[in-house]
Amino acid sequence: VLKVQVAELLAAAGGATRNATFVRLAFGEYEAFHFLTPMKGAELPRASVSVLGTAMQGAGHASVRLRADRTAAFVSIASLNVAGAFEDGAFLLLAGVEKNVSFTARAPAAAASAWDGFRDGLRVRSLCDTFE
């Protein structure tokens, strides 16, 4: 088990504060994030998350490609035109990193007109957006 003192991490981050820092743990293809403060004290930058594209992945399935200009915590996507669910309900999106999120429609045979408006009906939010 890796054991690191928080003071060492903050010093390595150039003297950053606990409220402005999180730790990214990577294990091959898996990663986890840990904030060094309770979320109510975290200094989260206002991020703009963009939908770069959507692609159909077969009947009733699509993928959505996202990217944020700054690190965005607890990003969630809602589909207003096609009822269904995304594979990941809330995730951390690192600045400049693209992420694909899979979508599964509740009714796989949804009308083609609904799928035509799928991208336009996407709403993306992050934790900072809840304070507006």
Side-chain angles (χ1 to χ4, degrees):
V1 173
L2 176 65
K3 185 175 181 179
V4 179
Q5 297 296 317
V6 172
E8 293 174 24
L9 290 173
L10 295 175
T17 66
R18 291 177 76 104
N19 291 3
T21 308
F22 65 88
V23 176
R24 176 178 174 251
L25 304 168
F27 309 98
E29 66 183 82
Y30 302 102
E31 62 183 3
F33 300 92
H34 179 75
F35 284 83
L36 301 178
T37 187
M39 288 309 298
K40 67 181 180 180
E43 296 171 7
L44 301 172
R46 174 99 27 218
S48 176
V49 181
S50 301
V51 175
L52 300 177
T54 59
M56 295 303 299
Q57 303 292 321
H61 298 280
S63 67
V64 177
R65 191 166 44 102
L66 303 171
R67 182 174 53 215
D69 62 343
R70 295 186 171 153
T71 297
F74 296 100
V75 174
S76 63
I77 315 169
S79 171
L80 304 179
N81 294 339
V82 179
F86 288 90
E87 70 174 326
D88 201 345
F91 49 90
L92 188 129
L93 186 57
L94 294 172
V97 175
E98 293 184 13
K99 179 175 178 73
N100 286 306
V101 182
S102 296
F103 175 82
T104 302
R106 186 175 301 147
S113 61
W115 284 107
D116 289 343
F118 177 67
R119 181 177 177 157
D120 292 334
L122 295 176
R123 297 298 177 262
V124 183
R125 295 173 45 104
S126 69
L127 184 60
C128 281
D129 297 324
T130 63
F131 300 121
E132 295 179 343

